[in-house]
Amino acid sequence: MCIRDRVSTQSTWDIQYLRDLMGFKRFVQAGRVAYINYGVDHGKVCVIVEVINSTRVLVDGPTLGVPRQVISLRRLALTDHLLKVAKGIHTKALEIVIKKNDLVKKIGESSWAKKLASQKRRAELNDFERFQVMMLKRQKAYLVNKDIAQSHGAKPKKVSAKKPKESKQQSNMKPITITYLHIRK
C-alpha cells in the first residue's frame, strides 16, 4: 500500500504509520519539547504549543524561562521528549503538565543535557585548567597504550620527559583533580 492510498482512506495522518515508514521519530507537533539553539533564549528548553506553518511554531516554557512566542524551526532542535497536550494549550495548563511530568528533571538527566553542560564547562576553563586537561589526556593515553602493549606482550615505549625542578612555590601548590570532563577516545 503506498502512502497516497493510506492518506486517501484516512482524513488525518497516522503518525505511527509514518514513523514506521520513514524511521523518523522526532515530529514537529504540539507537545514536542525542543532546545533553542539560537537567539535571545539560546540554551533554554521550550514546548511546542502549536504549529503555525512549515517554518514557524508557537512555543512556550513557563517554568523553563521561555516566554510564549513564535519562533522559526531553524532555531529549534527537537528532543525525544513529548508531552500529551492539546494544540494551543494555555500557559497555566502547560505549567501544570510540565510539573506533573517532571520535565526539568528528565531533561537534566539526559545525555544531551550532560553533553551541553560539559561543553559549557570546557568553554569556561582558563588557560591553566586547559593545560591540566592536556596533561591528563597525555597521561591517560600513555596508560592506555601501556596496557595495550602489555596485553599484546610487547614492552611499552619509554617516555623521555625531563622532570622539572620543584620550586618552593610549586611544592606548596595542591594538586587539582578534574573529574567533570568527559574525554572521548
Side-chain angles (χ1 to χ4, degrees):
M1 174 184 277
C2 73
I3 197 163
R4 272 185 256 126
D5 297 335
R6 181 77 175 199
V7 173
S8 63
T9 58
Q10 293 182 350
S11 60
T12 60
W13 288 88
D14 187 4
I15 299 286
Q16 184 64 36
Y17 175 74
L18 290 175
R19 184 177 294 146
D20 294 340
L21 181 70
M22 295 187 290
F24 188 71
K25 294 182 171 80
R26 295 178 184 171
F27 291 103
V28 178
Q29 57 191 13
R32 176 68 61 189
V33 180
Y35 171 78
I36 301 174
N37 57 21
Y38 184 81
V40 178
D41 295 319
H42 172 65
K44 294 181 181 178
V45 178
C46 62
V47 179
I48 296 175
V49 177
E50 190 163 350
V51 179
I52 297 172
N53 59 23
S54 63
T55 60
R56 297 182 309 151
V57 292
L58 177 67
V59 298
D60 196 2
T63 59
L64 307 169
V66 179
R68 193 175 186 101
Q69 61 186 318
V70 175
I71 193 165
S72 173
L73 284 173
R74 290 182 179 185
R75 295 182 177 210
L76 294 179
L78 303 177
T79 66
D80 289 332
H81 301 286
L82 179 66
L83 301 176
K84 291 185 179 180
V85 296
K87 288 183 181 180
I89 187 170
H90 293 285
T91 304
K92 295 280 185 180
L94 183 62
E95 186 176 348
I96 293 169
V97 171
I98 289 173
K99 287 181 181 178
K100 182 181 174 185
N101 288 321
D102 204 13
L103 184 65
V104 177
K105 183 179 176 186
K106 285 180 185 177
I107 290 174
E109 293 173 351
S110 68
S111 60
W112 195 2
K114 290 176 184 176
K115 182 180 101 174
L116 291 173
S118 176
Q119 287 175 352
K120 182 179 178 186
R121 176 65 182 123
R122 275 221 145 147
E124 293 172 350
L125 292 179
N126 61 25
D127 189 40
F128 182 65
E129 290 171 335
R130 282 193 299 273
F131 172 75
Q132 286 181 320
V133 170
M134 181 187 73
M135 296 307 291
L136 289 172
K137 285 173 81 173
R138 279 188 186 178
Q139 289 174 1
K140 179 186 171 191
Y142 173 74
L143 292 173
V144 168
N145 290 334
K146 182 179 171 183
D147 288 342
I148 290 172
Q150 285 178 352
S151 68
H152 291 300
K155 292 183 181 179
K157 294 180 181 178
K158 292 184 181 179
V159 178
S160 60
K162 294 181 181 179
K163 291 184 180 179
K165 295 179 183 178
E166 286 191 23
S167 65
K168 292 179 183 179
Q169 185 181 7
Q170 287 180 343
S171 61
N172 293 335
M173 291 177 65
K174 294 180 183 177
I176 298 174
T177 58
I178 300 176
T179 57
Y180 52 81
L181 294 175
H182 175 68
I183 302 171
R184 285 193 242 165
K185 187 174 177 192

